Amino acid sequence: MEFKRLPKHIGIIPDGNRRWAQARGLDKKDGYRFGIEPGFQLYQMCLELGIEEITFYGFTKDNTKRPSEQTKEFRKACVESVMGLAEKDGELLIVGDKESKLFPEELKPFTKRTKFGKGGIKINFLVNYGWEWDICKGCKEGDSSKMQKHIQSSDISRIDLIIRWGGRRRLSGFLPVQSVYADFYVIDDLWPDFKKEQFYDALKWYEHQDITLGG
Amino acid sequence: MEFKRLPKHIGIIPDGNRRWAQARGLDKKDGYRFGIEPGFQLYQMCLELGIEEITFYGFTKDNTKRPSEQTKEFRKACVESVMGLAEKDGELLIVGDKESKLFPEELKPFTKRTKFGKGGIKINFLVNYGWEWDICKGCKEGDSSKMQKHIQSSDISRIDLIIRWGGRRRLSGFLPVQSVYADFYVIDDLWPDFKKEQFYDALKWYEHQDITLGG
């Protein structure tokens, strides 16, 4: 596939794991582990296309209000995803509230950007992330022009394209500051049903969007 | 029209005025005045449906970087829209940076919520609004749980449904805090081509969305 114009930074909202499990007669909690492999496939495609930065929505502080059998499974799936990525090439950063005991211990070292293999593509993973936690904690009165330096996710750049699987047309608290100008593409299929064509279609659509940054 | 479930608060991004003008051989700047009447129609529909709150995206600080013949026209269209609404029933609040000289003088009295006629529906109008100005200026370190009290737009509640005309699938800096959980519906037609059916279609679509607030 050739593209005239690619997004520099893509945000991924991999929604629909629980609905996918239920549709197969499985427990909701069993859906998450089927969402791991698609993430690796997507990473590989971004690498080949030369995408500079990619951000995955792991789980949020909102999500942790779900039944504990589910929170256990999605935390496990996040750890497995991150550990898998750590065996590939890239520069990984985990952003999320690590003060909470719901933040997986194994992932703490990666809350500073860490280079793996040949480095290159920036991979951000939101783990126990909260939009309020993000945009207010470090923010100081009157600092609006420097605001992006003070938010918790300040090492994550502005997002060009957000792709959401699972049909919902909303951000669900995904990086409000970096998303203000992002183009938003929704795929009705559920995340475990990831197909390469869905991603290419999103990139084809993005090619035809103008970029105004609100101007 | 009957609805089983209506959004309490609807955000409106009335985009496409300039493209509409160009398609008719007019100057870009001449599009804005054709965007005034649709706003009144939409207001009337919300009133009849019993919607509690509606927020219109007037213009932003980003927008003011456009050629001055355009900024003059969209400021004029905003003033006319607000003055028209002031003759109807509702509680009007204008949110935006009034320190700037690009903020229309006539609108300054309405930066405090003002009741017109029988009151009732809350109408918010963003005028010379900026997302950075909004979410950082009044924000204090460590205050994340109280954050929504400190932002500039703190009198505007969480938005349930955002409807954007003109085909672009992005927020363009529209109220990032209130939009974190909003469902986002895009109409390809340009704003001056507003039709009642488009709005009803959006409400029909919204009826079938689940509400999770990220949970």
Side-chain angles (χ1 to χ4, degrees), chain B residues 112-138:
Chain B
K112 285 189 174 168
R113 198 175 288 281
T114 308
K115 187 178 169 180
F116 296 115
K118 290 181 282 182
I121 187 171
K122 284 185 182 174
I123 310 162
N124 310 311
F125 218 99
L126 306 186
V127 172
N128 201 37
Y129 172 86
W131 65 269
E132 283 184 302
W133 165 85
D134 184 5
I135 64 178
C136 200
K137 206 173 169 216

Side-chain angles (χ1 to χ4, degrees), chain A:
Chain A
M1 286 297 259
E2 292 253 325
F3 296 92
K4 276 172 289 188
R5 185 172 68 88
L6 282 167
K8 287 186 181 173
H9 184 177
I10 302 176
I12 299 293
I13 304 181
D15 192 28
N17 298 294
R18 293 185 296 171
R19 283 174 278 159
W20 187 91
Q22 278 193 301
R24 273 155 197 76
L26 301 170
D27 268 4
K28 282 182 180 181
K29 69 167 168 43
D30 294 323
Y32 296 113
R33 69 171 184 275
F34 294 93
I36 299 173
E37 186 54 33
F40 295 144
Q41 283 186 47
L42 185 66
Y43 156 82
Q44 192 57 40
M45 290 174 81
C46 288
L47 199 69
E48 285 163 17
L49 288 163
I51 302 296
E52 291 176 23
E53 187 168 357
I54 180 166
T55 299
F56 287 100
Y57 214 7
F59 71 88
T60 64
K61 292 161 82 75
D62 286 330
N63 295 156
T64 61
K65 293 164 200 156
R66 294 179 187 167
S68 66
E69 54 165 36
Q70 287 179 33
T71 63
K72 196 183 145 199
E73 288 299 319
F74 66 61
R75 289 168 73 231
K76 211 166 109 184
C78 277
V79 171
E80 234 175 278
S81 296
V82 169
M83 293 310 179
L85 288 169
E87 291 172 9
K88 304 181 192 290
D89 298 320
E91 297 173 27
L92 179 70
L93 177 71
I94 293 183
V95 174
D97 182 4
K98 62 178 177 179
E99 309 302 321
S100 151
K101 53 182 178 179
L102 289 163
F103 189 97
E105 199 59 38
E106 309 93 297
L107 300 186
K108 284 190 179 167
F110 309 119
T111 53
K112 285 189 176 169
R113 197 175 290 282
T114 309
K115 187 177 168 180
F116 297 116
K118 289 180 285 182
I121 186 171
K122 284 185 182 174
I123 310 162
N124 310 311
F125 218 100
L126 306 186
V127 172
N128 201 37
Y129 172 87
W131 66 270
E132 284 183 302
W133 166 85
D134 184 4
I135 65 178
C136 199
K137 205 174 171 216
C139 197
K140 281 172 197 145
E141 175 103 35
D143 248 348
S144 72
S145 64
K146 290 174 199 152
M147 169 173 189
Q148 290 186 56
K149 301 252 180 266
H150 291 106
I151 57 178
Q152 299 295 304
S153 60
S154 58
D155 287 332
I156 300 182
S157 72
R158 183 174 62 70
I159 295 177
D160 302 300
L161 171 65
I162 296 169
I163 311 176
R164 181 170 185 144
W165 271 260
R168 310 286 195 237
R169 301 185 185 203
R170 55 193 178 224
L171 291 174
S172 303
F174 181 74
L175 294 171
V177 168
Q178 290 86 346
S179 301
V180 287
Y181 301 127
D183 282 300
F184 189 42
Y185 187 89
V186 176
I187 292 163
D188 284 330
D189 292 323
L190 306 173
W191 172 246
D193 287 327
F194 173 85
K195 283 174 201 67
K196 285 187 168 189
E197 292 67 38
Q198 298 160 344
F199 185 55
Y200 286 137
D201 287 348
L203 295 176
K204 276 282 162 209
W205 173 80
Y206 178 78
E207 266 191 321
H208 299 289
Q209 304 309 305
D210 63 335
I211 304 175
T212 63
L213 302 183

Side-chain angles (χ1 to χ4, degrees), chain B residues 4 20 26 87 100 106 162 190 196 214:
Chain B
K4 276 172 289 188
W20 187 91
L26 301 170
E87 291 172 9
S100 150
E106 309 91 299
I162 297 169
L190 307 174
K196 284 186 168 187

Side-chain angles (χ1 to χ4, degrees), chain B residues 11-12 21 40 43 71 77 87 92 94 96 102 114 118 124 160 211:
Chain B
I12 300 292
F40 296 143
Y43 156 83
T71 63
E87 291 172 9
L92 179 69
I94 293 184
L102 288 163
T114 308
K118 290 181 282 182
N124 310 311
D160 302 300
I211 302 177

